[in-house]
Amino acid sequence: MSASQTSSSDVPADVPTLLVKIFGKDRPGITAGLFDTLAAYSVDVVDIEQVVTRGRMVLCALVTEPPPNLEGDLRATVHSWAESMKMQAEIISGLGDNRPRGLGRSLVTVLGHPLTAEATAAIAARITKTGGNIDRIFRLAKYPVTAVEFAVSGVETEPLRTALVTDAARLGIDVAVVAAGLYRRAQRLVVMDVDSTLIQDEVIELFAAHAGCEDKVAEVTAAAMRGELDFEQSLHARVALLEGLDASVVDKVRSEVRLTPGARTLIRTLKRLGYQVGVVSGGFTQVTDDLKERLGLDFAHANTLEIVDGRLTGKVTGEIVDRAGKARLLRRFAAEAGVPLSQTVAIGDGANDLDMLNAAGLGVAFNAKPVVREAAHAAVNFPFLDTVLYLLGVTREEVEAADTLDIV
């Protein structure tokens, strides 16, 4: 029985207890029926756990020993009741409550498409080798990926994460390791990058296509990737190539933007759960302001293309949103939302997002470059943005409930 369950009383280690286990085909009334049966013997409930898998139930109840001379009668009555319900019963004598969980508590979320037995065995073995104990396993989702959460104790979060990262890459699965605790459900601000994260496109490339300078923009981007230009230099160089472009192209680019699969579902579910959601982008407000309105975002900030007399000037105005700027904006949004930085989530894919990912309580690398995956707290390498929800402990059922509401 899981040590992760909450006891109703503090039972000393030398007090006799009974573990009552019921298993068989699930049907209404089993749980109530078991405890109605036990109630006749004046026992106290110490712990309960129930699992239903493909219509088969396992119900465990840890209870105090009944008054003297009644244990035999309790056992006979429980077995008789179980037989009448076409269930099986097992009753094991013992002492005290479950053993205390070890120090260091983490939640390991495993994402697979599919999730193979080999991968599951490897993750479980690695947890054991690090000194961790698996206290509970729970399936969060069965599609579009299989998502399973392991509650682990006995090992600190950082060394556990380090140990599992290598195995995840080798096995072709995603593994996220976060510290367990109430803060996980209290994360109330999610801020994400836009290009290649919230949307599938690079906005500067969409503008460049209309200006006929895609190749030149690509050359500048490549130079920045080689470290020959910093972000601000590359931004100015690329935007300069757009000089003279008619401002009417803004509407065309907006219509060409493609949301990443799962983006609407991610935002709708987060809003349903009471989160605030924002975006920061090295792109342009001409696109992010439209996304903010369309998706019901709480915050949005990006660079602004200068437009004079109906044409792009090839310049940007205002504060440049670069790598450091994204982290500053995360902090600003958190302050405006009244959310501690430790209760924020940041999502991004590029090196330009690293400061923001590191500053957040949980930084998620989404289909990111290797250097970003290695630095982030968690990584998702599936093309569905809503899989990030599983890292927050949100189940597929909660996602589907949000989909029925007109939130955004």
Side-chain angles (χ1 to χ4, degrees):
M1 193 162 184
S2 170
S4 65
Q5 305 304 300
T6 302
S7 299
S8 62
S9 60
D10 186 10
V11 178
D14 59 350
V15 170
T17 51
L18 298 176
L19 174 59
V20 181
K21 178 180 178 182
I22 304 297
F23 48 99
K25 185 178 179 181
D26 185 31
R27 60 175 62 85
I30 297 296
T31 304
L34 173 62
F35 286 98
D36 276 343
T37 302
L38 293 173
Y41 297 91
S42 302
V43 298
D44 295 329
V45 177
V46 179
D47 199 357
I48 309 171
E49 185 164 358
Q50 179 174 307
V51 177
V52 178
T53 304
R54 211 172 68 177
R56 307 295 292 182
M57 167 194 278
V58 178
L59 169 60
C60 293
L62 185 64
V63 299
T64 55
E65 190 179 59
N69 304 320
L70 291 182
E71 182 179 335
D73 190 47
L74 180 150
R75 287 175 176 269
T77 302
V78 168
H79 280 284
S80 177
W81 168 82
E83 185 177 349
S84 73
M85 300 299 293
K86 298 182 179 179
M87 306 285 284
Q88 293 178 277
E90 182 180 3
I91 303 176
I92 304 171
S93 299
L95 295 174
D97 198 348
N98 301 297
R99 62 179 179 79
R101 294 177 62 186
L103 296 177
R105 300 181 183 181
S106 303
L107 296 170
V108 178
T109 305
V110 180
L111 307 179
H113 185 64
L115 179 60
T116 65
E118 176 190 6
T120 306
I123 293 300
R126 180 63 67 183
I127 291 172
T128 301
K129 289 178 181 177
T130 63
N133 182 71
I134 299 172
D135 298 315
R136 186 170 183 264
I137 305 174
F138 176 71
R139 187 180 72 179
L140 296 168
K142 59 183 178 181
Y143 70 92
V145 299
T146 300
V148 179
E149 181 179 272
F150 294 75
V152 178
S153 62
V155 60
E156 294 299 328
T157 299
E158 287 301 325
L160 180 60
R161 179 187 294 130
T162 300
L164 292 176
V165 165
T166 302
D167 284 348
R170 176 177 58 82
L171 296 165
I173 58 175
D174 286 340
V175 175
V177 184
V178 299
L182 292 176
Y183 88 94
R184 189 199 195 196
R185 278 289 193 175
Q187 291 167 326
R188 288 292 179 240
L189 173 66
V190 174
V191 176
M192 66 189 98
D193 174 43
V194 175
D195 292 11
S196 298
T197 300
L198 178 63
I199 67 175
Q200 301 177 57
D201 312 283
E202 294 289 330
V203 170
I204 185 67
E205 294 177 1
L206 297 179
F207 277 101
H210 289 281
C213 59
E214 291 174 278
D215 292 343
K216 292 181 179 179
V217 165
E219 289 175 7
V220 176
T221 301
M225 294 292 290
R226 292 192 299 267
E228 297 169 9
L229 297 172
D230 64 22
F231 176 81
E232 185 170 351
Q233 290 174 320
S234 69
L235 175 68
H236 287 304
R238 287 178 290 180
V239 171
L241 296 170
L242 306 180
E243 183 180 0
L245 195 61
D246 193 281
S248 63
V249 78
V250 170
D251 288 333
K252 295 178 182 177
V253 168
R254 286 175 175 173
S255 68
E256 293 167 351
V257 165
R258 300 167 300 163
L259 292 174
T260 297
R264 286 188 180 276
T265 300
L266 171 68
I267 294 169
R268 178 165 47 242
T269 305
L270 291 172
K271 300 289 285 184
R272 170 70 178 85
L273 295 175
Y275 282 68
Q276 296 188 62
V277 185
V279 294
V280 291
S281 176
F284 310 111
T285 57
Q286 281 82 359
V287 170
T288 57
D289 287 351
D290 180 61
L291 289 170
K292 180 181 179 183
E293 181 177 352
R294 285 167 52 197
L295 299 174
L297 302 174
D298 299 286
F299 305 98
H301 201 92
N303 301 301
T304 300
L305 292 169
E306 185 180 62
I307 298 175
V308 177
D309 296 330
R311 292 191 176 278
L312 275 64
T313 66
K315 299 177 182 179
V316 292
T317 62
E319 178 185 5
I320 297 298
V321 180
D322 56 8
R323 175 170 167 168
K326 288 188 174 185
R328 286 196 302 271
L329 287 164
L330 172 69
R331 293 185 176 93
R332 183 190 305 175
F333 293 168
E336 293 177 10
V339 175
L341 201 60
S342 62
Q343 294 178 6
T344 63
V345 180
I347 310 168
D349 73 297
N352 204 35
D353 301 312
L354 277 173
D355 289 2
M356 176 177 72
L357 298 181
N358 290 330
L362 176 64
V364 180
F366 179 72
N367 291 316
K369 300 170 180 64
V371 65
V372 181
R373 292 200 303 268
E374 293 169 5
H377 302 122
V380 171
N381 294 303
F382 296 100
F384 311 108
L385 193 56
D386 54 336
T387 56
V388 172
L389 291 165
Y390 307 140
L391 307 186
L392 307 180
V394 179
T395 67
R396 188 69 205 179
E397 286 79 7
E398 290 171 311
V399 173
E400 290 170 351
D403 274 344
T404 65
L405 300 175
D406 187 17
I407 301 297
V408 296

